[in-house]
Amino acid sequence: SLILSSEWNPRERNNFITSGQDGTIRFWKEEKKCTDTIVVRSKKAGEKIQPVTHAKFFNNSSMIVSATADGVL
């Protein structure tokens, strides 16, 4: 999938996240492949998965904030 954003973890420098056109946020470790994946889905039944255009660490990296192509945060 096409990567739309990426960011290093500000507290753990060998970890980073990416967001993708396939509606996912993926967690990575520098020395490994993807360690976890979140699929972001619309709350409305039957709607297609939207690309996750941005994902950022927030609140001293204890949370992640993301935005999708349809404007949902």
Side-chain angles (χ1 to χ4, degrees):
S1 170
L2 180 66
I3 294 173
L4 300 175
S5 74
S6 63
E7 181 175 66
W8 289 100
N9 184 325
R11 294 184 74 192
E12 297 178 39
R13 290 292 183 182
N14 66 333
N15 297 337
F16 64 99
I17 56 174
T18 59
S19 65
Q21 189 172 9
D22 61 354
T24 62
I25 299 170
R26 297 179 192 269
F27 298 82
W28 304 82
K29 289 192 181 248
E30 190 174 27
E31 69 279 353
K32 293 183 178 181
K33 293 184 178 182
C34 180
T35 59
D36 289 300
T37 302
I38 297 172
V39 178
V40 180
R41 297 186 186 273
S42 173
K43 289 184 179 182
K44 296 179 183 176
E47 286 199 12
K48 69 177 187 170
I49 294 173
Q50 293 290 320
V52 180
T53 57
H54 293 84
K56 293 194 66 69
F57 287 101
F58 182 70
N59 198 22
N60 207 14
S61 73
S62 64
M63 292 189 276
I64 294 173
V65 171
S66 66
T68 59
D70 61 357
V72 175
L73 291 176

